[in-house]
Amino acid sequence: MKPAVRLSAFVLALAAVLPASQAQQRPEPIISAEVATDHRVTFRIRAPKATEVLVNASLGPNNPKPPGTVKDQPGQWAMPMQKSPDGLWSLSVGPLEPEIYRYAFMIDGVRALDLANHNISAGGAIPWSYFEVPGEPPRFDEVRDVPHGAIHLRSYRVSETKELHTVAIYVPPEYDRDQRARFPVLYLFHGGGDSQEGWSRLGHVAAIQENLLAAHKARPMLVVMPYGDIDGDATTLPAIEAFGRELFNDVMPIVEKNYRVQANREGRAIAGLSMGAGQSFTLGLRNLDKFAWVAEFSAGAFGSPKFDIETQVPGLLKDPAAVNRRLKLLFLGVGTEDTRYPGHLKLVDLLQRSGIHNEFHTTPGEHEWKAWRHLLAELMPKLFQPVR
């Protein structure tokens, strides 16, 4: 039912954008979101029949907003656009801080993506368009003039379901330089409604690691990004367990048979965002014989009244000393404007009272790539390093 709902909303939005006379012909191309050299951004959309069009964007608290802006939800700002006689709506904002931003249009109350912008989130749910304001010098997550690696795509048949899935594998530039070296692996999971492309397309995982490597701030590692959106509610414990079987029985064997990697717990890390955070937290702490480095970004389960850590990770709190001996890092991260923030505070308090060592990291931002890129950049330098 969900795809039908999304399609209906898209059709309604498209009807508002194009009059009947233009339904069978391509409208004049427009540029949106257009980022100027002074860091001002202009949004445009053609909607001749619409009576009100808003831009709902994650501008954060510090960037300037135009008159009439209202805070729509945590981290989101609704800004009114102006209509020209030919039916073109536009709005310019800024100058904006160098960062990645997400947005959508509201056309007479119907949410729509920016059809002029191909930079959208991937996967089964496509809720946002994105644009980036470049930094001077380039931001930590922008492509720089440094050595680059490669992203491999490998398809496989899932042992349990027989579905055809694809895993994206980032290989650092050092992999081809030293044919004798074996490399550690970070297993990195996407969020709900996304795909194995999420971290490479919008997470900029390659640029983040390559910039860290060029600055000698991280160890070179493979980053393995499987598809993890199990049919149904992928956040449930049975779904996480099913994803774990796919990870252990299908994905890890592909990596360890075809790449020069360290196939031991000290050479494996596991992390994820949102839905993938619940997967990495649960599977990592349940399998400390396979992972010595465990991280999560913005998991939603921690704030749920149904969350029970004994059910999620049986026995974790019974022998904290044993857990601490095996865990080289437990990294918890969340954006300060994210609705998941209070749940993380509760979990951190529980772990500290129970004697489980962990690191809690926060960054400005909501439930968005802005936060997750910063958290990944904080995590990577900590992975596969000697623990004092």
Side-chain angles (χ1 to χ4, degrees):
M1 294 302 293
K2 290 183 179 179
V5 172
R6 287 198 298 270
L7 181 59
S8 298
F10 176 78
V11 170
L12 288 171
L14 190 61
V17 172
L18 297 179
S21 62
Q22 294 183 7
Q24 300 301 320
Q25 64 186 33
R26 185 184 299 272
E28 289 295 320
I30 59 177
I31 301 175
S32 180
E34 183 177 18
V35 181
T37 55
D38 64 356
H39 292 183
R40 291 183 62 83
V41 180
T42 301
F43 306 92
R44 300 182 181 93
I45 187 168
R46 196 178 305 280
K49 291 187 176 182
T51 57
E52 180 187 59
V53 181
L54 306 173
V55 179
N56 191 315
S58 61
L59 294 188
N62 298 325
N63 283 310
K65 284 80 174 182
T69 297
V70 297
K71 193 166 187 178
D72 183 59
Q73 54 181 297
Q76 299 296 315
W77 304 83
M79 303 172 290
M81 304 182 75
Q82 300 299 315
K83 185 180 184 180
S84 65
D86 63 353
L88 182 67
W89 295 78
S90 64
L91 170 69
S92 293
V93 298
L96 303 182
E97 298 173 344
E99 191 55 87
I100 179 174
Y101 297 91
R102 64 179 185 176
Y103 70 101
F105 293 124
M106 293 296 293
I107 306 172
D108 287 337
V110 178
R111 195 169 186 275
L113 296 178
D114 188 345
L115 301 182
N117 182 1
H118 70 278
N119 198 20
I120 59 176
S121 52
I126 308 179
W128 296 105
S129 297
Y130 287 85
F131 69 90
E132 302 203 27
V133 177
E136 301 169 4
R139 304 186 321 258
F140 73 97
D141 52 349
E142 289 185 90
V143 176
R144 299 177 180 174
D145 188 14
V146 299
H148 302 299
I151 293 180
H152 301 173
L153 298 177
R154 289 182 172 268
S155 296
Y156 62 94
R157 190 72 64 180
V158 181
S159 300
E160 194 166 293
T161 66
K162 307 307 178 187
E163 294 178 345
L164 188 65
H165 283 181
T166 300
V167 57
I169 303 172
Y170 170 78
V171 181
E174 288 81 358
Y175 189 86
D176 292 331
R177 295 179 193 162
D178 189 347
Q179 297 292 325
R180 295 174 297 178
R182 291 190 173 272
F183 293 80
V185 182
L186 167 61
Y187 290 87
L188 185 62
F189 308 147
H190 62 80
D194 209 332
S195 75
Q196 69 279 354
E197 299 178 29
W199 271 109
S200 58
R201 286 186 63 247
L202 290 172
H204 282 198
V205 64
I208 291 172
Q209 181 176 179
E210 288 160 3
N211 293 338
L212 288 170
L213 291 173
H216 306 288
K217 293 182 178 179
R219 285 194 60 190
M221 65 191 79
L222 274 71
V223 183
V224 177
M225 298 161 281
Y227 178 73
D229 211 348
I230 302 296
D231 291 341
D233 186 351
T235 64
T236 65
L237 192 53
I240 292 175
E241 292 170 342
F243 175 65
R245 292 190 294 272
E246 180 177 341
L247 177 68
F248 300 140
N249 297 333
D250 300 312
V251 176
M252 286 175 59
I254 288 174
V255 175
E256 295 178 358
K257 289 178 182 177
N258 293 284
Y259 295 87
R260 301 188 315 276
V261 298
Q262 297 172 220
N264 54 48
R265 61 183 302 275
E266 290 79 10
R268 298 193 197 103
I270 187 170
L273 70 89
S274 194
M275 176 196 76
Q279 293 169 336
S280 62
F281 180 85
T282 304
L283 296 175
L285 293 179
R286 282 188 171 198
N287 295 276
L288 293 179
D289 59 324
K290 295 180 174 66
F291 303 100
W293 318 79
V294 178
E296 67 80 32
F297 311 147
S298 310
F302 306 149
S304 170
K306 297 181 181 179
F307 177 75
D308 176 59
I309 198 165
E310 178 60 26
T311 301
Q312 207 77 14
V313 188
L316 178 71
L317 306 183
K318 292 181 179 178
D319 191 351
V323 172
N324 292 335
R325 282 196 299 271
R326 307 191 78 186
L327 259 181
K328 293 185 180 294
L329 176 68
L330 175 57
F331 181 109
L332 310 173
V334 67
T336 52
E337 295 180 277
D338 198 328
T339 56
R340 282 85 171 163
Y341 181 77
H344 278 70
L345 294 179
K346 289 173 57 179
L347 177 64
V348 169
D349 179 65
L350 173 62
L351 293 174
Q352 290 178 341
R353 286 188 286 105
S354 302
I356 302 293
H357 296 167
N358 68 90
E359 291 188 13
F360 181 42
H361 294 255
T362 62
T363 185
E366 205 242 341
H367 204 66
E368 56 183 323
W369 281 110
K370 170 186 173 182
W372 301 323
R373 287 187 187 184
H374 282 273
L375 290 170
L376 180 65
E378 291 184 33
L379 171 67
M380 278 187 159
K382 297 176 178 294
L383 296 179
F384 313 118
Q385 303 287 356
V387 177
R388 298 176 182 175

